[in-house]
Amino acid sequence: MVSNPETPTPPSKLSDALKSHPFHLHHEYLDLTSLKELPDSYDWTDELNMIPATTGGGNSAISEAMPVIDFNDPDALQLIGHACKTWGAFQVVNHGIPSSLLDQTECTSRDLFSLPIEQKLKASRSPDAISGYGLIRMKSLKNTSKKMKRLAEKLMWLMLGSLGITKEDIDWANPNSYIPDASSASQMNHYPACPDPDRAMGMAAHTDSSFLTIVYQNNVIGLQVLKEGTGWVTVPMIPGGLVVNIGDLLHILSNGLYPSVLHRAVVNRSKARFSVAYFYGPPATVQVSPFPKLIGPGHPSLYRPITWSEFLGIKAKCFNEALSSIRVTETPPIECVDANDDSNNVEVA
Ligand SMILES: C=C1C[C@]23C[C@@]1(O)CC[C@H]2[C@@]12CCC[C@@](C)(C(=O)O1)[C@H]2[C@@H]3C(=O)O
Ligand SMILES: O=C(O)CCC(=O)C(=O)O
Ligand SMILES: [Fe+2]
């Protein structure tokens, strides 16, 4: 094969994916922990984000609450399939991750974010790097907690199983395969108390690019998911519960059957909030495309094949238009505007 010098080689690691798409934030790094007034640069005006949420599950309809799935439930597979189709997210309990480990992670996160800003800036992330301290959008801290990985694997197989996809169907899942292992990244988020929560947003509405993301939130609510026909729904606190979000890569693999969930994090006036997100997906260089069993007459393949690495590059440029930009349609592909703007006020590490 002859390589075309004008075609760049796709990055082989997630951490390299941002090198060609540096992310420049125009925010100055403020100490956000003791603000008396919202700085003008944090004033939020975006329509999608300013729509308020319903209280925990639709207008009093209890059936509209986000599904909570017990891992020990014999019907877990079907329940997960239904939750993926209808919500793109659910909470899981009895997941096997000891609460002591989650508490410990929260303490580490509190300690890290409470360091003086000068000290945190010593670990700042540069515009083309994936890890370090900074403001979102693109940043993460490598934390390959074996337990999180194991849980993510179990969740993935339940999700794929509910679509009729088996381990034999997925090359990279085979332990004897020469293909590298799954990719993952962790991100710790800190949302300081905000003097003007109605004018600010913790983390702007987005989908994750992963296969699935596991989110741990300390006992302060703030995560909201967009439920079709209902609007923004606040994810309730469930002791020991972990939130699972469907990401864009599972959306692609399921040919749109399991849509990635649009979610955001709001801030509140009196309490600081912490969360940890664990992004899990295929090896960075493996191409993901709509699964053949899910394609047929009346169900054309909706997306072109893409690696996580390439998709991250597209996401850095197109942000919430990334999925539509790789959709195979008869209409001309979406032209993205640069998503390289500064619109969030959450600290991440
Ligand atoms: C693996 C990753 C997914 C992510 C980019 C990252 O490198 C680490 C941070 C992740 C995050 C969190 C906030 C929303 C998001 C869209 C972003 O800009 O950074 C996601 C990225 C993603 O899922 O594409
Ligand atoms: O803080 C939260 O609850 C959500 C975090 C999130 O969506 C992310 O890190 O991608
Ligand atoms: Fe997210």
mmCIF file with all atom_site columns, all heavy atoms in Angstrom, residues 14 18 130 136-140 184-185 187 203 206-210 248 279 308 312 315 319, ligand 1:
data_model
loop_
_atom_site.group_PDB
_atom_site.id
_atom_site.type_symbol
_atom_site.label_atom_id
_atom_site.label_alt_id
_atom_site.label_comp_id
_atom_site.label_asym_id
_atom_site.label_entity_id
_atom_site.label_seq_id
_atom_site.pdbx_PDB_ins_code
_atom_site.Cartn_x
_atom_site.Cartn_y
_atom_site.Cartn_z
_atom_site.occupancy
_atom_site.B_iso_or_equiv
_atom_site.pdbx_formal_charge
_atom_site.auth_seq_id
_atom_site.auth_comp_id
_atom_site.auth_asym_id
_atom_site.auth_atom_id
_atom_site.pdbx_PDB_model_num
ATOM   1   N N   . LEU A 1 14  ? -5.488  7.438  22.046 1.00 0.00 ? 14  LEU A N   1
ATOM   2   C CA  . LEU A 1 14  ? -6.412  8.529  22.338 1.00 0.00 ? 14  LEU A CA  1
ATOM   3   C C   . LEU A 1 14  ? -5.642  9.792  22.698 1.00 0.00 ? 14  LEU A C   1
ATOM   4   O O   . LEU A 1 14  ? -6.013  10.888 22.316 1.00 0.00 ? 14  LEU A O   1
ATOM   5   C CB  . LEU A 1 14  ? -7.299  8.176  23.539 1.00 0.00 ? 14  LEU A CB  1
ATOM   6   C CG  . LEU A 1 14  ? -8.531  7.322  23.288 1.00 0.00 ? 14  LEU A CG  1
ATOM   7   C CD1 . LEU A 1 14  ? -9.390  7.322  24.532 1.00 0.00 ? 14  LEU A CD1 1
ATOM   8   C CD2 . LEU A 1 14  ? -9.321  7.808  22.099 1.00 0.00 ? 14  LEU A CD2 1
ATOM   9   N N   . LEU A 1 18  ? -5.672  14.498 20.077 1.00 0.00 ? 18  LEU A N   1
ATOM   10  C CA  . LEU A 1 18  ? -5.885  15.941 20.174 1.00 0.00 ? 18  LEU A CA  1
ATOM   11  C C   . LEU A 1 18  ? -4.715  16.759 19.652 1.00 0.00 ? 18  LEU A C   1
ATOM   12  O O   . LEU A 1 18  ? -4.819  17.967 19.523 1.00 0.00 ? 18  LEU A O   1
ATOM   13  C CB  . LEU A 1 18  ? -6.165  16.336 21.623 1.00 0.00 ? 18  LEU A CB  1
ATOM   14  C CG  . LEU A 1 18  ? -7.390  15.681 22.237 1.00 0.00 ? 18  LEU A CG  1
ATOM   15  C CD1 . LEU A 1 18  ? -7.616  16.194 23.633 1.00 0.00 ? 18  LEU A CD1 1
ATOM   16  C CD2 . LEU A 1 18  ? -8.613  15.951 21.374 1.00 0.00 ? 18  LEU A CD2 1
ATOM   17  N N   . ILE A 1 130 ? -4.078  15.600 26.329 1.00 0.00 ? 130 ILE A N   1
ATOM   18  C CA  . ILE A 1 130 ? -5.313  14.988 26.813 1.00 0.00 ? 130 ILE A CA  1
ATOM   19  C C   . ILE A 1 130 ? -5.397  15.052 28.339 1.00 0.00 ? 130 ILE A C   1
ATOM   20  O O   . ILE A 1 130 ? -6.464  14.972 28.919 1.00 0.00 ? 130 ILE A O   1
ATOM   21  C CB  . ILE A 1 130 ? -5.423  13.535 26.290 1.00 0.00 ? 130 ILE A CB  1
ATOM   22  C CG1 . ILE A 1 130 ? -6.866  13.041 26.347 1.00 0.00 ? 130 ILE A CG1 1
ATOM   23  C CG2 . ILE A 1 130 ? -4.476  12.595 27.013 1.00 0.00 ? 130 ILE A CG2 1
ATOM   24  C CD1 . ILE A 1 130 ? -7.092  11.768 25.559 1.00 0.00 ? 130 ILE A CD1 1
ATOM   25  N N   . ILE A 1 136 ? -12.819 22.425 31.077 1.00 0.00 ? 136 ILE A N   1
ATOM   26  C CA  . ILE A 1 136 ? -13.172 21.561 29.967 1.00 0.00 ? 136 ILE A CA  1
ATOM   27  C C   . ILE A 1 136 ? -13.221 22.418 28.695 1.00 0.00 ? 136 ILE A C   1
ATOM   28  O O   . ILE A 1 136 ? -13.276 23.624 28.819 1.00 0.00 ? 136 ILE A O   1
ATOM   29  C CB  . ILE A 1 136 ? -14.515 20.822 30.185 1.00 0.00 ? 136 ILE A CB  1
ATOM   30  C CG1 . ILE A 1 136 ? -15.653 21.794 30.329 1.00 0.00 ? 136 ILE A CG1 1
ATOM   31  C CG2 . ILE A 1 136 ? -14.446 19.912 31.349 1.00 0.00 ? 136 ILE A CG2 1
ATOM   32  C CD1 . ILE A 1 136 ? -16.967 21.094 30.085 1.00 0.00 ? 136 ILE A CD1 1
ATOM   33  N N   . ARG A 1 137 ? -13.118 21.904 27.508 1.00 0.00 ? 137 ARG A N   1
ATOM   34  C CA  . ARG A 1 137 ? -13.711 20.685 27.094 1.00 0.00 ? 137 ARG A CA  1
ATOM   35  C C   . ARG A 1 137 ? -12.825 19.437 27.124 1.00 0.00 ? 137 ARG A C   1
ATOM   36  O O   . ARG A 1 137 ? -13.284 18.397 27.486 1.00 0.00 ? 137 ARG A O   1
ATOM   37  C CB  . ARG A 1 137 ? -14.210 20.876 25.665 1.00 0.00 ? 137 ARG A CB  1
ATOM   38  C CG  . ARG A 1 137 ? -15.591 21.335 25.617 1.00 0.00 ? 137 ARG A CG  1
ATOM   39  C CD  . ARG A 1 137 ? -16.137 21.410 24.206 1.00 0.00 ? 137 ARG A CD  1
ATOM   40  N NE  . ARG A 1 137 ? -15.164 21.330 23.163 1.00 0.00 ? 137 ARG A NE  1
ATOM   41  C CZ  . ARG A 1 137 ? -14.957 20.240 22.434 1.00 0.00 ? 137 ARG A CZ  1
ATOM   42  N NH1 . ARG A 1 137 ? -15.656 19.169 22.674 1.00 0.00 ? 137 ARG A NH1 1
ATOM   43  N NH2 . ARG A 1 137 ? -14.085 20.241 21.486 1.00 0.00 ? 137 ARG A NH2 1
ATOM   44  N N   . MET A 1 138 ? -11.667 19.477 26.683 1.00 0.00 ? 138 MET A N   1
ATOM   45  C CA  . MET A 1 138 ? -10.971 18.238 26.426 1.00 0.00 ? 138 MET A CA  1
ATOM   46  C C   . MET A 1 138 ? -9.874  17.953 27.435 1.00 0.00 ? 138 MET A C   1
ATOM   47  O O   . MET A 1 138 ? -8.785  18.488 27.317 1.00 0.00 ? 138 MET A O   1
ATOM   48  C CB  . MET A 1 138 ? -10.353 18.292 25.036 1.00 0.00 ? 138 MET A CB  1
ATOM   49  C CG  . MET A 1 138 ? -11.371 18.204 23.970 1.00 0.00 ? 138 MET A CG  1
ATOM   50  S SD  . MET A 1 138 ? -12.071 16.581 23.976 1.00 0.00 ? 138 MET A SD  1
ATOM   51  C CE  . MET A 1 138 ? -12.941 16.623 22.440 1.00 0.00 ? 138 MET A CE  1
ATOM   52  N N   . LYS A 1 139 ? -10.211 17.161 28.420 1.00 0.00 ? 139 LYS A N   1
ATOM   53  C CA  . LYS A 1 139 ? -9.105  16.840 29.293 1.00 0.00 ? 139 LYS A CA  1
ATOM   54  C C   . LYS A 1 139 ? -9.420  15.627 30.147 1.00 0.00 ? 139 LYS A C   1
ATOM   55  O O   . LYS A 1 139 ? -10.544 15.262 30.348 1.00 0.00 ? 139 LYS A O   1
ATOM   56  C CB  . LYS A 1 139 ? -8.743  18.090 30.052 1.00 0.00 ? 139 LYS A CB  1
ATOM   57  C CG  . LYS A 1 139 ? -9.462  18.498 31.249 1.00 0.00 ? 139 LYS A CG  1
ATOM   58  C CD  . LYS A 1 139 ? -8.506  19.117 32.193 1.00 0.00 ? 139 LYS A CD  1
ATOM   59  C CE  . LYS A 1 139 ? -7.303  18.334 32.427 1.00 0.00 ? 139 LYS A CE  1
ATOM   60  N NZ  . LYS A 1 139 ? -7.468  16.963 32.451 1.00 0.00 ? 139 LYS A NZ  1
ATOM   61  N N   . SER A 1 140 ? -8.413  14.975 30.583 1.00 0.00 ? 140 SER A N   1
ATOM   62  C CA  . SER A 1 140 ? -8.672  13.774 31.349 1.00 0.00 ? 140 SER A CA  1
ATOM   63  C C   . SER A 1 140 ? -7.466  13.385 32.181 1.00 0.00 ? 140 SER A C   1
ATOM   64  O O   . SER A 1 140 ? -6.358  13.862 31.966 1.00 0.00 ? 140 SER A O   1
ATOM   65  C CB  . SER A 1 140 ? -8.986  12.618 30.415 1.00 0.00 ? 140 SER A CB  1
ATOM   66  O OG  . SER A 1 140 ? -7.796  12.173 29.833 1.00 0.00 ? 140 SER A OG  1
ATOM   67  N N   . SER A 1 184 ? -9.571  3.782  27.551 1.00 0.00 ? 184 SER A N   1
ATOM   68  C CA  . SER A 1 184 ? -10.376 4.423  28.589 1.00 0.00 ? 184 SER A CA  1
ATOM   69  C C   . SER A 1 184 ? -9.697  5.711  29.032 1.00 0.00 ? 184 SER A C   1
ATOM   70  O O   . SER A 1 184 ? -8.497  5.899  28.806 1.00 0.00 ? 184 SER A O   1
ATOM   71  C CB  . SER A 1 184 ? -10.547 3.487  29.781 1.00 0.00 ? 184 SER A CB  1
ATOM   72  O OG  . SER A 1 184 ? -9.285  3.202  30.327 1.00 0.00 ? 184 SER A OG  1
ATOM   73  N N   . ALA A 1 185 ? -10.481 6.588  29.610 1.00 0.00 ? 185 ALA A N   1
ATOM   74  C CA  . ALA A 1 185 ? -9.934  7.828  30.166 1.00 0.00 ? 185 ALA A CA  1
ATOM   75  C C   . ALA A 1 185 ? -10.833 8.227  31.326 1.00 0.00 ? 185 ALA A C   1
ATOM   76  O O   . ALA A 1 185 ? -12.027 7.930  31.307 1.00 0.00 ? 185 ALA A O   1
ATOM   77  C CB  . ALA A 1 185 ? -9.933  8.926  29.107 1.00 0.00 ? 185 ALA A CB  1
ATOM   78  N N   . GLN A 1 187 ? -12.018 11.373 34.057 1.00 0.00 ? 187 GLN A N   1
ATOM   79  C CA  . GLN A 1 187 ? -11.997 12.817 34.260 1.00 0.00 ? 187 GLN A CA  1
ATOM   80  C C   . GLN A 1 187 ? -12.661 13.144 35.588 1.00 0.00 ? 187 GLN A C   1
ATOM   81  O O   . GLN A 1 187 ? -13.751 12.671 35.868 1.00 0.00 ? 187 GLN A O   1
ATOM   82  C CB  . GLN A 1 187 ? -12.749 13.495 33.112 1.00 0.00 ? 187 GLN A CB  1
ATOM   83  C CG  . GLN A 1 187 ? -12.814 14.991 33.254 1.00 0.00 ? 187 GLN A CG  1
ATOM   84  C CD  . GLN A 1 187 ? -13.160 15.675 31.948 1.00 0.00 ? 187 GLN A CD  1
ATOM   85  O OE1 . GLN A 1 187 ? -12.350 15.739 31.027 1.00 0.00 ? 187 GLN A OE1 1
ATOM   86  N NE2 . GLN A 1 187 ? -14.375 16.163 31.849 1.00 0.00 ? 187 GLN A NE2 1
ATOM   87  N N   . MET A 1 203 ? -21.421 22.120 33.139 1.00 0.00 ? 203 MET A N   1
ATOM   88  C CA  . MET A 1 203 ? -20.861 21.506 31.933 1.00 0.00 ? 203 MET A CA  1
ATOM   89  C C   . MET A 1 203 ? -21.950 21.566 30.860 1.00 0.00 ? 203 MET A C   1
ATOM   90  O O   . MET A 1 203 ? -23.067 21.103 31.076 1.00 0.00 ? 203 MET A O   1
ATOM   91  C CB  . MET A 1 203 ? -20.427 20.064 32.185 1.00 0.00 ? 203 MET A CB  1
ATOM   92  C CG  . MET A 1 203 ? -19.586 19.519 31.051 1.00 0.00 ? 203 MET A CG  1
ATOM   93  S SD  . MET A 1 203 ? -19.026 17.827 31.330 1.00 0.00 ? 203 MET A SD  1
ATOM   94  C CE  . MET A 1 203 ? -17.777 18.021 32.548 1.00 0.00 ? 203 MET A CE  1
ATOM   95  N N   . HIS A 1 206 ? -23.878 17.992 26.111 1.00 0.00 ? 206 HIS A N   1
ATOM   96  C CA  . HIS A 1 206 ? -22.993 17.275 25.189 1.00 0.00 ? 206 HIS A CA  1
ATOM   97  C C   . HIS A 1 206 ? -23.330 15.784 25.227 1.00 0.00 ? 206 HIS A C   1
ATOM   98  O O   . HIS A 1 206 ? -24.003 15.318 26.144 1.00 0.00 ? 206 HIS A O   1
ATOM   99  C CB  . HIS A 1 206 ? -21.522 17.457 25.592 1.00 0.00 ? 206 HIS A CB  1
ATOM   100 C CG  . HIS A 1 206 ? -21.204 16.821 26.910 1.00 0.00 ? 206 HIS A CG  1
ATOM   101 N ND1 . HIS A 1 206 ? -21.471 17.423 28.120 1.00 0.00 ? 206 HIS A ND1 1
ATOM   102 C CD2 . HIS A 1 206 ? -20.648 15.611 27.226 1.00 0.00 ? 206 HIS A CD2 1
ATOM   103 C CE1 . HIS A 1 206 ? -21.102 16.636 29.110 1.00 0.00 ? 206 HIS A CE1 1
ATOM   104 N NE2 . HIS A 1 206 ? -20.597 15.515 28.590 1.00 0.00 ? 206 HIS A NE2 1
ATOM   105 N N   . THR A 1 207 ? -22.861 15.066 24.241 1.00 0.00 ? 207 THR A N   1
ATOM   106 C CA  . THR A 1 207 ? -22.847 13.602 24.337 1.00 0.00 ? 207 THR A CA  1
ATOM   107 C C   . THR A 1 207 ? -21.383 13.221 24.502 1.00 0.00 ? 207 THR A C   1
ATOM   108 O O   . THR A 1 207 ? -20.495 13.986 24.120 1.00 0.00 ? 207 THR A O   1
ATOM   109 C CB  . THR A 1 207 ? -23.408 12.937 23.054 1.00 0.00 ? 207 THR A CB  1
ATOM   110 O OG1 . THR A 1 207 ? -22.639 13.396 21.931 1.00 0.00 ? 207 THR A OG1 1
ATOM   111 C CG2 . THR A 1 207 ? -24.882 13.271 22.830 1.00 0.00 ? 207 THR A CG2 1
ATOM   112 N N   . ASP A 1 208 ? -21.126 12.048 25.082 1.00 0.00 ? 208 ASP A N   1
ATOM   113 C CA  . ASP A 1 208 ? -19.736 11.589 25.186 1.00 0.00 ? 208 ASP A CA  1
ATOM   114 C C   . ASP A 1 208 ? -19.415 10.802 23.917 1.00 0.00 ? 208 ASP A C   1
ATOM   115 O O   . ASP A 1 208 ? -20.286 10.176 23.324 1.00 0.00 ? 208 ASP A O   1
ATOM   116 C CB  . ASP A 1 208 ? -19.557 10.692 26.416 1.00 0.00 ? 208 ASP A CB  1
ATOM   117 C CG  . ASP A 1 208 ? -19.859 11.438 27.713 1.00 0.00 ? 208 ASP A CG  1
ATOM   118 O OD1 . ASP A 1 208 ? -19.716 12.673 27.743 1.00 0.00 ? 208 ASP A OD1 1
ATOM   119 O OD2 . ASP A 1 208 ? -20.249 10.770 28.689 1.00 0.00 ? 208 ASP A OD2 1
ATOM   120 N N   . SER A 1 209 ? -18.148 10.794 23.523 1.00 0.00 ? 209 SER A N   1
ATOM   121 C CA  . SER A 1 209 ? -17.818 10.080 22.290 1.00 0.00 ? 209 SER A CA  1
ATOM   122 C C   . SER A 1 209 ? -17.570 8.592  22.536 1.00 0.00 ? 209 SER A C   1
ATOM   123 O O   . SER A 1 209 ? -17.503 7.808  21.601 1.00 0.00 ? 209 SER A O   1
ATOM   124 C CB  . SER A 1 209 ? -16.562 10.688 21.658 1.00 0.00 ? 209 SER A CB  1
ATOM   125 O OG  . SER A 1 209 ? -15.487 10.540 22.540 1.00 0.00 ? 209 SER A OG  1
ATOM   126 N N   . SER A 1 210 ? -17.457 8.211  23.800 1.00 0.00 ? 210 SER A N   1
ATOM   127 C CA  . SER A 1 210 ? -17.147 6.825  24.181 1.00 0.00 ? 210 SER A CA  1
ATOM   128 C C   . SER A 1 210 ? -18.211 5.817  23.716 1.00 0.00 ? 210 SER A C   1
ATOM   129 O O   . SER A 1 210 ? -19.229 6.185  23.141 1.00 0.00 ? 210 SER A O   1
ATOM   130 C CB  . SER A 1 210 ? -17.100 6.772  25.711 1.00 0.00 ? 210 SER A CB  1
ATOM   131 O OG  . SER A 1 210 ? -18.297 7.328  26.218 1.00 0.00 ? 210 SER A OG  1
ATOM   132 N N   . ASP A 1 248 ? -21.355 8.113  21.797 1.00 0.00 ? 248 ASP A N   1
ATOM   133 C CA  . ASP A 1 248 ? -21.537 8.153  20.339 1.00 0.00 ? 248 ASP A CA  1
ATOM   134 C C   . ASP A 1 248 ? -21.083 6.874  19.631 1.00 0.00 ? 248 ASP A C   1
ATOM   135 O O   . ASP A 1 248 ? -21.653 6.485  18.612 1.00 0.00 ? 248 ASP A O   1
ATOM   136 C CB  . ASP A 1 248 ? -20.756 9.328  19.751 1.00 0.00 ? 248 ASP A CB  1
ATOM   137 C CG  . ASP A 1 248 ? -21.267 10.670 20.253 1.00 0.00 ? 248 ASP A CG  1
ATOM   138 O OD1 . ASP A 1 248 ? -22.471 10.768 20.556 1.00 0.00 ? 248 ASP A OD1 1
ATOM   139 O OD2 . ASP A 1 248 ? -20.460 11.611 20.350 1.00 0.00 ? 248 ASP A OD2 1
ATOM   140 N N   . PHE A 1 279 ? -14.598 7.109  30.887 1.00 0.00 ? 279 PHE A N   1
ATOM   141 C CA  . PHE A 1 279 ? -14.973 6.917  29.473 1.00 0.00 ? 279 PHE A CA  1
ATOM   142 C C   . PHE A 1 279 ? -14.369 5.613  28.985 1.00 0.00 ? 279 PHE A C   1
ATOM   143 O O   . PHE A 1 279 ? -13.158 5.412  29.099 1.00 0.00 ? 279 PHE A O   1
ATOM   144 C CB  . PHE A 1 279 ? -14.441 8.069  28.616 1.00 0.00 ? 279 PHE A CB  1
ATOM   145 C CG  . PHE A 1 279 ? -14.884 9.428  29.101 1.00 0.00 ? 279 PHE A CG  1
ATOM   146 C CD1 . PHE A 1 279 ? -14.125 10.143 30.020 1.00 0.00 ? 279 PHE A CD1 1
ATOM   147 C CD2 . PHE A 1 279 ? -16.068 9.988  28.651 1.00 0.00 ? 279 PHE A CD2 1
ATOM   148 C CE1 . PHE A 1 279 ? -14.522 11.384 30.483 1.00 0.00 ? 279 PHE A CE1 1
ATOM   149 C CE2 . PHE A 1 279 ? -16.480 11.234 29.107 1.00 0.00 ? 279 PHE A CE2 1
ATOM   150 C CZ  . PHE A 1 279 ? -15.709 11.928 30.022 1.00 0.00 ? 279 PHE A CZ  1
ATOM   151 N N   . TRP A 1 308 ? -12.146 5.709  17.245 1.00 0.00 ? 308 TRP A N   1
ATOM   152 C CA  . TRP A 1 308 ? -12.388 6.656  18.349 1.00 0.00 ? 308 TRP A CA  1
ATOM   153 C C   . TRP A 1 308 ? -11.453 7.864  18.191 1.00 0.00 ? 308 TRP A C   1
ATOM   154 O O   . TRP A 1 308 ? -11.845 9.015  18.371 1.00 0.00 ? 308 TRP A O   1
ATOM   155 C CB  . TRP A 1 308 ? -12.176 5.965  19.712 1.00 0.00 ? 308 TRP A CB  1
ATOM   156 C CG  . TRP A 1 308 ? -12.714 6.757  20.873 1.00 0.00 ? 308 TRP A CG  1
ATOM   157 C CD1 . TRP A 1 308 ? -13.295 7.997  20.819 1.00 0.00 ? 308 TRP A CD1 1
ATOM   158 C CD2 . TRP A 1 308 ? -12.738 6.363  22.252 1.00 0.00 ? 308 TRP A CD2 1
ATOM   159 N NE1 . TRP A 1 308 ? -13.679 8.389  22.094 1.00 0.00 ? 308 TRP A NE1 1
ATOM   160 C CE2 . TRP A 1 308 ? -13.350 7.418  22.979 1.00 0.00 ? 308 TRP A CE2 1
ATOM   161 C CE3 . TRP A 1 308 ? -12.316 5.224  22.938 1.00 0.00 ? 308 TRP A CE3 1
ATOM   162 C CZ2 . TRP A 1 308 ? -13.536 7.356  24.364 1.00 0.00 ? 308 TRP A CZ2 1
ATOM   163 C CZ3 . TRP A 1 308 ? -12.500 5.174  24.325 1.00 0.00 ? 308 TRP A CZ3 1
ATOM   164 C CH2 . TRP A 1 308 ? -13.098 6.225  25.021 1.00 0.00 ? 308 TRP A CH2 1
ATOM   165 N N   . LEU A 1 312 ? -12.656 11.672 17.891 1.00 0.00 ? 312 LEU A N   1
ATOM   166 C CA  . LEU A 1 312 ? -12.304 12.727 18.858 1.00 0.00 ? 312 LEU A CA  1
ATOM   167 C C   . LEU A 1 312 ? -11.859 13.997 18.136 1.00 0.00 ? 312 LEU A C   1
ATOM   168 O O   . LEU A 1 312 ? -12.173 15.108 18.558 1.00 0.00 ? 312 LEU A O   1
ATOM   169 C CB  . LEU A 1 312 ? -11.182 12.259 19.782 1.00 0.00 ? 312 LEU A CB  1
ATOM   170 C CG  . LEU A 1 312 ? -11.583 11.537 21.066 1.00 0.00 ? 312 LEU A CG  1
ATOM   171 C CD1 . LEU A 1 312 ? -10.343 11.203 21.883 1.00 0.00 ? 312 LEU A CD1 1
ATOM   172 C CD2 . LEU A 1 312 ? -12.544 12.370 21.911 1.00 0.00 ? 312 LEU A CD2 1
ATOM   173 N N   . LYS A 1 315 ? -14.881 15.590 16.850 1.00 0.00 ? 315 LYS A N   1
ATOM   174 C CA  . LYS A 1 315 ? -15.627 16.166 17.976 1.00 0.00 ? 315 LYS A CA  1
ATOM   175 C C   . LYS A 1 315 ? -14.998 17.495 18.428 1.00 0.00 ? 315 LYS A C   1
ATOM   176 O O   . LYS A 1 315 ? -15.691 18.433 18.785 1.00 0.00 ? 315 LYS A O   1
ATOM   177 C CB  . LYS A 1 315 ? -15.612 15.155 19.123 1.00 0.00 ? 315 LYS A CB  1
ATOM   178 C CG  . LYS A 1 315 ? -16.587 15.440 20.196 1.00 0.00 ? 315 LYS A CG  1
ATOM   179 C CD  . LYS A 1 315 ? -17.693 14.420 20.238 1.00 0.00 ? 315 LYS A CD  1
ATOM   180 C CE  . LYS A 1 315 ? -18.671 14.799 21.325 1.00 0.00 ? 315 LYS A CE  1
ATOM   181 N NZ  . LYS A 1 315 ? -19.786 13.905 21.400 1.00 0.00 ? 315 LYS A NZ  1
ATOM   182 N N   . PHE A 1 319 ? -18.002 19.399 17.735 1.00 0.00 ? 319 PHE A N   1
ATOM   183 C CA  . PHE A 1 319 ? -18.683 19.203 19.017 1.00 0.00 ? 319 PHE A CA  1
ATOM   184 C C   . PHE A 1 319 ? -20.020 18.476 18.807 1.00 0.00 ? 319 PHE A C   1
ATOM   185 O O   . PHE A 1 319 ? -20.014 17.357 18.330 1.00 0.00 ? 319 PHE A O   1
ATOM   186 C CB  . PHE A 1 319 ? -18.834 20.545 19.744 1.00 0.00 ? 319 PHE A CB  1
ATOM   187 C CG  . PHE A 1 319 ? -19.088 20.355 21.212 1.00 0.00 ? 319 PHE A CG  1
ATOM   188 C CD1 . PHE A 1 319 ? -18.383 19.415 21.951 1.00 0.00 ? 319 PHE A CD1 1
ATOM   189 C CD2 . PHE A 1 319 ? -20.053 21.117 21.873 1.00 0.00 ? 319 PHE A CD2 1
ATOM   190 C CE1 . PHE A 1 319 ? -18.630 19.227 23.307 1.00 0.00 ? 319 PHE A CE1 1
ATOM   191 C CE2 . PHE A 1 319 ? -20.305 20.940 23.233 1.00 0.00 ? 319 PHE A CE2 1
ATOM   192 C CZ  . PHE A 1 319 ? -19.596 20.000 23.932 1.00 0.00 ? 319 PHE A CZ  1
HETATM 193 C C1  . LIG B 2 .   ? -11.736 10.326 26.112 1.00 0.00 ? 1   LIG B C1  1
HETATM 194 C C2  . LIG B 2 .   ? -12.289 11.514 26.188 1.00 0.00 ? 1   LIG B C2  1
HETATM 195 C C3  . LIG B 2 .   ? -13.735 11.800 26.032 1.00 0.00 ? 1   LIG B C3  1
HETATM 196 C C4  . LIG B 2 .   ? -13.826 13.310 26.137 1.00 0.00 ? 1   LIG B C4  1
HETATM 197 C C5  . LIG B 2 .   ? -12.480 13.724 25.650 1.00 0.00 ? 1   LIG B C5  1
HETATM 198 C C6  . LIG B 2 .   ? -11.565 12.777 26.398 1.00 0.00 ? 1   LIG B C6  1
HETATM 199 O O1  . LIG B 2 .   ? -10.302 12.840 25.885 1.00 0.00 ? 1   LIG B O1  1
HETATM 200 C C7  . LIG B 2 .   ? -11.538 13.110 27.889 1.00 0.00 ? 1   LIG B C7  1
HETATM 201 C C8  . LIG B 2 .   ? -12.624 14.109 28.232 1.00 0.00 ? 1   LIG B C8  1
HETATM 202 C C9  . LIG B 2 .   ? -13.958 13.771 27.601 1.00 0.00 ? 1   LIG B C9  1
HETATM 203 C C10 . LIG B 2 .   ? -14.900 14.971 27.537 1.00 0.00 ? 1   LIG B C10 1
HETATM 204 C C11 . LIG B 2 .   ? -15.642 15.269 28.849 1.00 0.00 ? 1   LIG B C11 1
HETATM 205 C C12 . LIG B 2 .   ? -16.597 16.440 28.640 1.00 0.00 ? 1   LIG B C12 1
HETATM 206 C C13 . LIG B 2 .   ? -17.394 16.331 27.357 1.00 0.00 ? 1   LIG B C13 1
HETATM 207 C C14 . LIG B 2 .   ? -16.499 15.930 26.160 1.00 0.00 ? 1   LIG B C14 1
HETATM 208 C C15 . LIG B 2 .   ? -17.305 15.981 24.860 1.00 0.00 ? 1   LIG B C15 1
HETATM 209 C C16 . LIG B 2 .   ? -15.251 16.744 26.164 1.00 0.00 ? 1   LIG B C16 1
HETATM 210 O O2  . LIG B 2 .   ? -15.050 17.712 25.519 1.00 0.00 ? 1   LIG B O2  1
HETATM 211 O O3  . LIG B 2 .   ? -14.292 16.164 26.989 1.00 0.00 ? 1   LIG B O3  1
HETATM 212 C C17 . LIG B 2 .   ? -15.870 14.593 26.471 1.00 0.00 ? 1   LIG B C17 1
HETATM 213 C C18 . LIG B 2 .   ? -14.977 13.988 25.398 1.00 0.00 ? 1   LIG B C18 1
HETATM 214 C C19 . LIG B 2 .   ? -15.773 13.073 24.520 1.00 0.00 ? 1   LIG B C19 1
HETATM 215 O O4  . LIG B 2 .   ? -16.505 12.217 25.034 1.00 0.00 ? 1   LIG B O4  1
HETATM 216 O O5  . LIG B 2 .   ? -15.672 13.225 23.319 1.00 0.00 ? 1   LIG B O5  1
#
